[in-house]
Amino acid sequence: MQYSSQVNEYCKNTTNVLAVSDSLNGCVAGVAGDPAKGAWVGFVLRVDGQRIASLKFQVFGCPQLLAACAYVAEQLQDCELTAIDRLDTAELMLSLQIPTEKAGKILILQDALIWCRRGLPAD
Amino acid sequence: MKDIYFDNAASTPVDPRVTEAMHDCLCAESYGNPAAGIHGHGAAAGKLIEQASVQVAGLINGMPQGVIWTSGATESDNLAILGVARFRGEMQGKHIVTSITEHSAVLEPCRQLQSEGFDITYLHPDSEGRISPESVKNALRENTILVSLMHVNNEIGVIQDIAAVGQVCRDSDTLFHVDAAQSAGRLALDVVAQNIDLLSLSAHKMYGPKGIGVLYLNPQRINRLQPLMHGGGHQHGLRPGTLPTHQIVGMGMACEIAQAAVDSESGGIERLRETLWSEIATLPGLIRNSANADTVCGILSVSVAEVEGESLIHALRGLSVSSGSACNTASDDASYVLRALGRHDSLAESTIRFSLGRYTTAKEVAEAAAVFRNAVTELRCYVSRMDEVIEHAV
């Protein structure tokens, strides 16, 4: 399979992967997918008021999914929480030139983010 | 940086001596049609083909008149299985024995024959990939006309005991076909001692050119098949079509070189393979497939836990390797061979086949090991805290 330069770049220089040293205290997590079925995503969200203070991830999946997680985590940093609701997966796929047959995996990413958002305490 | 080649089981580089022989053939006065032996140009080409047949026969201890030239092992397998079945089926029986881990060039003709009313027994291997001669013996019936087994499995490198299976077949007077595409030039082949009646070979797996192969028919056991193609009457009508002299010369030379090198070469390749394994085996979660069986010298198949297959291949940039991943094959499924060994889909997908060859160097092995270790370590960072995240989400 051919990969876009954007996917290659995000796979090569990945940031915001949840590191061993990162604490989960005070964070909410959202997961979706199943590693046994080839794709799983977990996001760990720390908020500051209505702002995303940090968004880190763990992921099991194809290079496009890895790149998409890194891209989303980068893009949503310091954004308002409502940016999660506005995430447009079609636009994300276009930005990274992800082929349509991978759309299902990108929806898993979106589901993990939605579960993150739902894990936040109500205002 | 130039990619490092570890895919010799898929195809080998052409040996310079083969290239030279082919070049000489193309430039010489042997451009006549080898079937046109009535004039000098055709006779010259015919002589080259005779010589190549002797070279092929020498590699397998066969007889030159048993050599049928084909386009490669896929065609040879098809001709052997379909040819025997369609010629003998009505008269002698419609049962064939093979295994579920054969190459698709064997499995697909068998499936075709099922649609034509044949009964196929697919033997299952043990957890190392071996088919026991006893299981072959137990599968034979009165109407069994053919047993087809590969000598060396192309994905995991496991060696089947074809001499023992050959004896079982000969005792029951059943024809025995062996796909030797992966073993020719790497293991000793002796169609007489191993009781092989039909043997498939491919030149490009043994440092020869692509597009040429052989189906060897033991002239004392079989001389008739139903051909796949018709017209021209070449090769006794078994495989018509004008013979490609330069490719045949190349395959002949490849066989001659292989015959001389088979004993001396395999030890060095096996040492390099073991060096590669020892340099990566320190990583946790690696399963060496067929670790407890005899395997051909150049193949190392490793399943990697906690890593997704497509990402692993992607991370192994710079290494030309093969994978059990569907993304790396023409099929949509994970390897059926690895699944037959009991690997679940995810693990089958994250399986890498390193296949070393004549030109693999110690430096390349060291580089490949480093690339592999780094790739696996990096990819595992993505899942190193998966369990904690799942627990936290709950």
Side-chain angles (χ1 to χ4, degrees):
Chain A
M1 176 169 283
Q2 294 293 313
Y3 301 97
S4 68
S5 57
Q6 294 92 328
V7 166
N8 285 332
E9 190 56 35
Y10 274 101
C11 286
K12 196 174 166 187
N13 300 307
T14 315
T15 54
N16 297 310
V17 179
L18 187 70
V20 176
S21 56
D22 290 328
S23 171
L24 296 180
N25 288 337
C27 297
V28 290
V31 299
D34 181 354
K37 291 177 181 166
W40 174 89
V41 175
F43 277 108
V44 174
L45 172 67
R46 186 183 299 278
V47 295
D48 180 7
Q50 289 301 306
R51 193 179 60 84
I52 297 170
S54 79
L55 183 63
K56 303 216 168 183
F57 67 94
Q58 291 272 280
V59 59
F60 181 92
C62 64
Q64 288 93 342
L65 187 58
L66 266 58
C69 287
Y71 177 81
V72 165
E74 181 187 270
Q75 295 290 312
L76 292 179
Q77 213 74 31
D78 289 324
C79 289
E80 292 293 317
L81 272 173
T82 51
I84 291 176
D85 308 328
R86 294 196 305 272
L87 179 72
D88 183 338
T89 55
E91 198 175 291
L92 163 63
M93 291 177 68
L94 200 63
S95 299
L96 297 180
Q97 293 182 34
I98 294 173
T100 45
E101 64 261 31
K102 298 282 186 173
K105 305 214 166 165
I106 303 305
L107 293 178
I108 290 173
L109 176 157
Q110 188 178 38
D111 285 350
L113 272 178
I114 290 169
W115 282 111
C116 246
R117 186 91 162 90
R118 288 184 183 171
L120 287 170
D123 291 337
Chain B
M1 192 179 94
K2 194 178 155 197
D3 284 4
I4 307 173
Y5 195 68
F6 278 91
D7 206 13
N8 285 276
S11 196
T12 49
V14 179
D15 188 295
R17 291 165 287 185
V18 171
T19 311
E20 190 181 344
M22 293 177 71
H23 178 267
D24 289 350
C25 173
L26 284 166
C27 296
E29 296 278 317
S30 52
Y31 47 77
N33 189 325
I38 52 167
H39 57 64
H41 288 91
K47 263 198 177 317
L48 291 175
I49 286 164
E50 277 176 29
Q51 185 193 343
S53 297
V54 170
Q55 290 166 314
V56 171
L59 178 66
I60 60 176
N61 192 29
M63 289 183 262
Q65 65 267 35
V67 171
I68 307 294
W69 301 101
T70 66
S71 61
T74 294
E75 185 189 337
S76 300
D77 288 343
N78 272 267
L79 181 57
I81 293 164
L82 298 173
V84 165
R86 289 172 179 165
F87 186 74
R88 298 192 171 209
E90 289 301 331
M91 294 176 292
Q92 296 177 15
K94 288 193 163 189
H95 179 236
I96 291 172
V97 177
T98 187
S99 87
I100 59 165
T101 49
E102 293 301 300
H103 193 277
S104 57
V106 166
L107 294 177
E108 291 301 326
C110 285
R111 289 198 185 105
Q112 171 60 31
L113 288 172
Q114 282 180 288
S115 73
E116 295 176 21
F118 283 80
D119 193 9
I120 314 290
T121 297
Y122 296 97
L123 300 173
H124 288 251
D126 66 12
S127 60
E128 301 294 326
R130 292 170 295 212
I131 301 291
S132 74
E134 291 74 27
S135 67
V136 175
K137 189 175 181 180
N138 293 336
L140 294 177
R141 303 176 192 163
E142 281 207 349
N143 66 340
T144 307
I145 52 168
L146 180 70
V147 172
S148 179
L149 282 183
M150 65 198 337
H151 192 184
V152 167
N153 185 277
N154 53 306
E155 290 191 37
I156 52 179
V158 69
I159 302 169
Q160 305 296 351
D161 187 355
I162 55 164
V165 175
Q167 192 60 56
V168 166
C169 293
R170 190 57 59 89
D171 290 345
S172 66
D173 198 25
T174 305
L175 289 177
F176 182 35
H177 166 244
V178 173
D179 179 343
Q182 292 294 339
S183 62
R186 297 176 177 87
L187 295 172
L189 275 167
D190 186 329
V191 292
V192 177
Q194 293 167 324
N195 290 314
I196 298 168
D197 301 313
L198 305 97
L199 184 91
S200 298
L201 298 170
S202 190
H204 77 101
K205 309 278 192 190
M206 50 173 157
Y207 312 96
K210 292 173 183 62
I212 186 73
V214 158
L215 175 63
Y216 178 76
L217 302 179
N218 180 345
Q220 291 169 334
R221 294 271 297 163
I222 179 167
N223 51 26
R224 295 287 298 275
L225 292 171
Q226 178 73 40
L228 300 178
M229 298 187 292
H230 303 273
H234 309 84
Q235 304 196 82
H236 319 296
L238 295 176
R239 203 280 188 177
T242 300
L243 293 174
T245 313
H246 61 294
Q247 285 177 288
I248 288 170
V249 163
M251 181 163 185
M253 179 55 75
C255 286
E256 185 179 309
I257 295 166
Q259 189 184 357
V262 67
D263 293 328
S264 58
E265 207 167 72
S266 55
I269 294 172
E270 188 166 0
R271 276 192 293 279
L272 285 176
R273 178 187 67 172
E274 294 311 308
T275 300
L276 176 59
W277 171 242
S278 67
E279 289 192 13
I280 63 174
T282 49
L283 283 168
L286 300 191
I287 299 169
R288 181 175 181 175
N289 295 305
S290 301
N292 300 310
D294 289 335
T295 51
V296 74
C297 57
I299 292 181
L300 174 63
S301 170
V302 182
S303 298
V304 188
E306 296 168 26
V307 167
E308 196 272 339
E310 189 179 341
S311 282
L312 179 57
I313 282 287
H314 182 256
L316 292 175
R317 286 178 294 267
L319 287 189
S320 296
V321 292
S322 178
S323 153
S325 169
C327 72
N328 197 49
T329 67
S331 105
D332 289 332
D333 299 320
S335 157
Y336 59 85
V337 174
L338 294 163
R339 282 185 292 160
L341 264 58
R343 308 281 176 261
H344 55 74
D345 277 6
S346 181
L347 203 52
E349 292 236 356
S350 60
T351 298
I352 298 297
R353 180 191 69 187
F354 297 93
S355 51
L356 294 71
R358 182 176 291 165
Y359 303 110
T360 307
T361 65
K363 183 169 174 279
E364 288 174 331
V365 165
E367 286 175 12
V371 169
F372 183 81
R373 278 197 308 265
N374 288 339
V376 172
T377 304
E378 278 177 25
L379 288 173
R380 283 182 173 161
C381 287
Y382 289 110
V383 292
S384 60
R385 301 192 67 189
M386 178 193 276
D387 291 344
E388 287 175 83
V389 172
I390 290 170
E391 198 177 326
H392 199 70
V394 169

